[in-house]
Amino acid sequence: MHSSPSGLAAAAPPLPCHVAIVMDGNGRWASGQGRERSAGHHSGLGPVRTVIEAAARHGIEALTLFAFSSENWSRPASEVAGLMNLFCDALDAELPMLQTNGVRLRFIGELSALEARLRARIDAATAATAANSRLRLQVAVSYGGRQDILAAARRVAARCERGELRSSELSAEEFAAGLALAGLPDPDLFIRTGGEQRISNFLLWNLAYAELYFTETLWPDFSAADFEIALQHFAGRQRRFGLTGTQVAS
Ligand code: IPE
Ligand code: IPE
Ligand code: MG
């Protein structure tokens, strides 16, 4: 609750509806402590819990977390295997936390590339949380923004081939209905930890007008206070969507 010096309750700052996070810096966090990269990935679970709970508490509608990119498959096989094991274990361990926070979980990405053991857990957790409605959580695994757009393009091309759609009549909304985030508002706040200022093939279509926030903090160190700071930065931005500042203010 915000209160002003006059004692009157101040208007709540604008909150994002949808936050997308590139959880980066696990490897450097571990190296900095003279530990294996896998230790960084394990320690990255705590902040995942933290941001889910904070988003649910704030009433943020949707949260999308980048956990493993299409390109991350090219990392050493041992690191990839460790990450897949971690995802399996985390799905088992965190299900009660998801239920407590009213989280509806979904995975986005090329899930057919995942081993059957992980896919089975994903399906079970998705089904178990399907009726929850407080926070919609998307975990992007084996996800690439270009691959996502390509899949949507193939979908409309197939409809054109079947004579169901004329290419000249394709709208942006109809195209976006074939993307992984169909049915969700576009992310309005993008957070990347770990100091790199790039998108790394995350939600290329959906981030068109996201406010970008970068922090040097490495993901395993990202705290509830850091999330609040990112929200404050968002609240201080003027979103213009191509208009002038005066137009937006009036
Ligand atoms: C992000 O941390 C996690 C994944 C990409 C799976 P990194 O593993 O990329 O950590 P850095 O960037 O090497 O520190
Ligand atoms: C982006 O991080 C992907 C995830 C956080 C899952 P990377 O560490 O893979 O990105 P680059 O290689 O630095 O661009
Ligand atoms: Mg990285």
Side-chain angles (χ1 to χ4, degrees):
M1 181 56 74
H2 304 266
S3 59
S4 66
S6 67
L8 295 172
L15 273 173
C17 290
H18 186 170
V19 180
I21 308 183
V22 178
M23 309 183 289
D24 194 26
N26 296 351
R28 280 164 287 160
W29 183 91
S31 309
Q33 306 194 352
R35 297 163 73 188
E36 298 285 324
R37 292 177 59 83
S38 59
H41 297 316
H42 277 91
S43 297
L45 265 184
V48 169
R49 252 177 253 129
T50 299
V51 295
I52 291 171
E53 287 168 351
R57 198 167 55 241
H58 276 291
I60 290 170
E61 198 179 316
L63 176 67
T64 300
L65 302 176
F66 204 3
F68 189 87
S69 73
S70 305
E71 292 71 28
N72 290 149
W73 286 116
S74 303
R75 289 191 177 193
S78 59
E79 181 169 344
V80 171
L83 280 163
M84 296 303 146
N85 283 332
L86 180 65
F87 297 150
C88 280
D89 295 346
L91 274 168
D92 288 342
E94 304 301 335
L95 194 53
M97 181 277 289
L98 297 178
Q99 302 291 28
T100 306
N101 286 282
V103 177
R104 180 172 162 193
L105 174 70
R106 200 158 61 93
F107 275 69
I108 60 170
E110 196 55 72
L111 303 186
S112 59
L114 305 177
E115 52 194 274
R117 189 171 62 101
L118 176 54
R119 278 210 314 273
R121 280 180 169 81
I122 288 174
D123 290 346
T126 305
T129 61
N132 293 340
S133 58
R134 191 162 171 206
L135 172 69
R136 292 183 67 173
L137 172 66
Q138 290 63 237
V139 179
V141 170
S142 188
Y143 177 87
R146 285 185 171 174
Q147 291 83 342
D148 192 5
I149 292 171
L150 193 58
R154 289 203 173 107
R155 176 177 170 271
V156 293
R159 289 182 59 205
C160 289
E161 280 170 5
R162 291 196 298 267
E164 294 168 12
L165 180 74
R166 293 157 73 100
S167 60
S168 59
E169 286 165 4
L170 176 64
S171 65
E173 290 71 25
E174 220 165 317
F175 182 80
L179 293 166
L181 291 187
L184 284 168
D186 282 341
D188 29 24
L189 172 61
F190 165 96
I191 299 172
R192 181 169 185 147
T193 61
E196 309 296 352
Q197 302 199 358
R198 52 181 174 250
I199 307 281
S200 296
N201 201 19
F202 199 20
L203 305 159
L204 296 180
W205 174 284
N206 314 78
L207 290 174
Y209 264 104
E211 297 297 327
L212 307 182
Y213 175 78
F214 299 99
T215 171
E216 294 292 325
T217 303
L218 303 171
W219 178 251
D221 289 329
F222 193 74
S223 66
D226 293 318
F227 188 64
E228 294 305 317
I229 292 169
L231 294 180
Q232 280 166 20
H233 275 266
F234 177 81
R237 304 268 178 95
Q238 187 191 43
R239 308 195 71 200
R240 290 196 280 275
F241 299 101
L243 305 184
T244 68
T246 314
Q247 279 180 300
V248 172
S250 69

